[in-house]
Amino acid sequence: MTARDAADAAAADARWLARAIELAVDNVAAGGGPFGALVVRDGEVLAEGQNRVTRDLDPTAHAEVQAIRAACKAAGDFALPGATLYTSCEPCPLCLSAALWARVDRIVFAADRDDAARGGFDDREFYELFGRDRSEWHVRIDGLRVDAAPTPFDAWLALESRTDY
């Protein structure tokens, strides 16, 4: 990549991040959370998203998840290879996981987790939680291996028409 190409790519990233920030600020004005995101592929916006957690009473309705859901519908696929997720803030573990499952090629964010914490959205606890032994978690997670536990996966593997992902 030439220096000119790198400068052009950085300028494009800055434009897309400006849009993500605009979505976040508009969402605050509309009573929502301060997060906005968009999915871009081949220089075109596939979809945009804003945080809808409180509006929709849905703890998974983060801006990045909303953008990924809409982008997948627009693309007609559950995977978004070649796409970049632009977001106004560093993705929390939920959003990062959604982006990984969607198989985006790249994530670009503006504010970081410290900015989010200053605003009252402290995701650091979740990042740290995953690094601890489950016995130290505040939520109990119990596995109970029953005889039928592998049955759904056996059914899946037996289905010739399945769509692998």
Side-chain angles (χ1 to χ4, degrees), residues 152-160 162 164:
F153 297 103
D154 295 339
W156 171 255
L157 291 170
L159 183 65
E160 290 182 26
R162 74 179 177 267
D164 289 328

Side-chain angles (χ1 to χ4, degrees), residues 2 11 13 19-20 22 25-26 42 44 47 49 55 71 89 134 139:
T2 68
D13 284 348
R19 178 61 183 148
E22 179 183 19
V25 171
D26 289 349
D42 300 325
E44 300 291 326
R55 186 196 79 176
C89 188
R134 281 193 183 168
V139 170

Side-chain angles (χ1 to χ4, degrees), residues 20 64 142:
E64 296 91 338
D142 297 318

Side-chain angles (χ1 to χ4, degrees), residues 42-88:
D42 300 325
E44 300 291 326
V45 175
L46 287 177
E48 297 178 338
Q50 293 170 302
N51 182 284
R52 300 291 190 220
V53 171
T54 56
R55 186 196 79 176
D56 295 352
L57 305 178
D58 179 354
T60 69
H62 293 202
E64 296 91 338
V65 173
Q66 298 290 86
I68 289 167
R69 287 174 178 161
C72 286
K73 285 183 182 173
D77 199 343
F78 59 84
L80 300 167
T84 299
L85 173 64
Y86 290 93
T87 181
S88 62

